[in-house]
Amino acid sequence: MRRTKAVVGIALTVLVLAGCGGGGSPDTEDENKGSAIPSAEASSRLKGPSVLLRVPSRYDAKQGWQHTLDWMPENYSAQPLVAVGARSGVVAYVDTTEDGYVVQVRDASTGTVRFTSRPWEPPAPLESGGLLGQSVQLPSVVTTVQGGREYVVLWAHGEVGGDALDKGEQSVRLLVYPSGASGSAVAPTREIDIPVDVLALGEDHLQVGDFGTGLEVHWESENTDRKAVAVDVTNGTFDRCADACADGVGRVRTDKGWVVSDYSHDTVSMPGAWDIRDAAPPGAEYPKDEANGEFVAVVGGRLFTRWQAGSGSVTHPLTALHDATTGKVEASIVCDRPGGRGAVVSPDGRFVAVGTVAFDLQRRSGFCLDAGEERKASVYIRSIADGGAAYGTLDDTRHDSERTAEVDLSTGTAAPRLLPEGTLVPDLTLKNVGVFLTPSQTSGLLVSVLRAR
């Protein structure tokens, strides 16, 4: 989440589930008093945004809709509370009612509510103290595609099966909903528990997401190992990266097997199928060297790896993009300061980026946006719209005073353009809208979904 910290106290979770926290408040002609979650009828009357943001010229600050998650504290869990579904064109977020948490899904273009789940009480928060400190996580939401269908997944991490005397077991509980569902108090089609032993809370230690090949759960365990599970949301089964991960970390599960990076150098392979060093990008020095082919990120079913290019004592970092199933190189570029590890993809899948490096898959071309002789600041890509309009910040750590920039990845040069001071960039993009997540003027999080011009 943008410009917010990542910790929320146990007392907050108790407060929300006890019904002391209000539900989100939309911008409607009817203030919808007496209802924690707006009805579909009220939502169909959503007016334009009441809080006007300074946004890039691609987006119209007056056209779209807003919803405030006013139950949220100033500091909350690092896991995302808002997700988008590119196939179905929806925006999903976690909200509250007097009876518990819900996920609400809206049409991205109109703001009309597609469905609201029935209230849910997540697994009990873990006891404070020890490695877990004083923090707990709020429920989160992700979207995933499987078998050509898109699903919305509400999830939370906590303890199941315990009581006042005996401890339970850590689990990530997943509630699965088809993105095309409709109505209110919608029940999940499936509820799945994934046993975990998470070392600590936060995005670095626990991730639930779709990296282009289906839903996966990744975590760092108490014995410092990293573990990974691929989940079939249609039948509730899951595949642990077991033998394939005996000597490494499971990065993504494809239909051909697990892609793993070894513990010693983070070099990527699919055990028994291919080794990334056999698919070195052009210009990579000593492709068999163990220091080459280091895993960087995965998104949209593609891997980012890092190499060294050059000859003799003069080398430069080279970032390559590979098909995750085969390991084959799709594009590469030399970039002296290829910072950042957060990978993003455009809704149509044509453009991908990680940190200061971006690729156009249609042209098989790459772009380096780091600082250099002609540029004193690097641009870290945060989101990419269809057509190649990419948006980023000049600092890899987000804060209130950050400067932002726009890059057109559809051109051959992709020269960054500094945006006016105070301009926000979208956190998420869909075909015709950008999603901006900002602290509310009163409290909580303001979700602004603005239309592209």
Side-chain angles (χ1 to χ4, degrees), residues 210-281:
D210 187 331
F211 304 103
T213 58
L215 190 67
E216 296 182 11
V217 180
H218 294 247
W219 71 95
E220 185 174 345
S221 68
E222 292 182 357
N223 59 10
T224 71
D225 289 339
R226 288 188 177 272
K227 300 182 180 179
V229 168
V231 184
D232 188 325
V233 296
T234 65
N235 59 27
T237 61
F238 49 90
D239 173 31
R240 291 185 179 273
C241 186
D243 293 341
C245 288
D247 299 313
V249 179
R251 298 300 186 178
V252 64
R253 175 69 163 85
T254 74
D255 57 3
K256 300 296 183 182
W258 279 96
V259 175
V260 179
S261 63
D262 64 63
Y263 285 129
S264 57
H265 297 285
D266 242 3
T267 301
V268 184
S269 69
M270 183 181 288
W274 52 261
D275 189 301
I276 205 71
R277 289 165 294 181
D278 295 325

Side-chain angles (χ1 to χ4, degrees), residues 156-198:
H157 167 237
E159 185 178 89
V160 297
D163 56 28
L165 178 64
D166 298 313
K167 289 185 177 180
E169 295 183 349
Q170 280 194 57
S171 177
V172 170
R173 179 163 292 173
L174 310 169
L175 275 63
V176 181
Y177 307 85
S179 63
S182 61
S184 59
V186 172
T189 57
R190 192 165 301 280
E191 189 170 319
I192 307 167
D193 276 319
I194 308 295
V196 299
D197 53 341
V198 179

Side-chain angles (χ1 to χ4, degrees), residues 386-403:
D386 285 347
Y391 299 94
T393 57
L394 305 193
D395 196 321
D396 196 26
T397 57
R398 296 180 173 182
H399 49 81
D400 290 336
S401 60
E402 66 192 4
R403 293 303 303 271

Side-chain angles (χ1 to χ4, degrees), residues 82-95:
V82 180
V84 296
R87 290 205 176 195
S88 50
V90 297
V91 176
Y93 49 81
V94 180
D95 218 325

Side-chain angles (χ1 to χ4, degrees), residues 82 84 91 425-430 433-437 447-450:
V82 180
V84 296
V91 176
V425 296
D427 294 86
L428 304 163
T429 59
L430 285 170
V433 301
V435 181
F436 299 78
L437 307 177
V447 182
S448 303
V449 182
L450 305 180

Side-chain angles (χ1 to χ4, degrees), residues 70 98 103 111 130 215 238 244 249 318 345 348 366 372 377 385 411 440:
D70 55 15
E98 293 182 352
V103 61
L215 190 67
F238 49 90
V249 179
L318 181 151
V345 59
D348 61 6
T411 67
S440 169

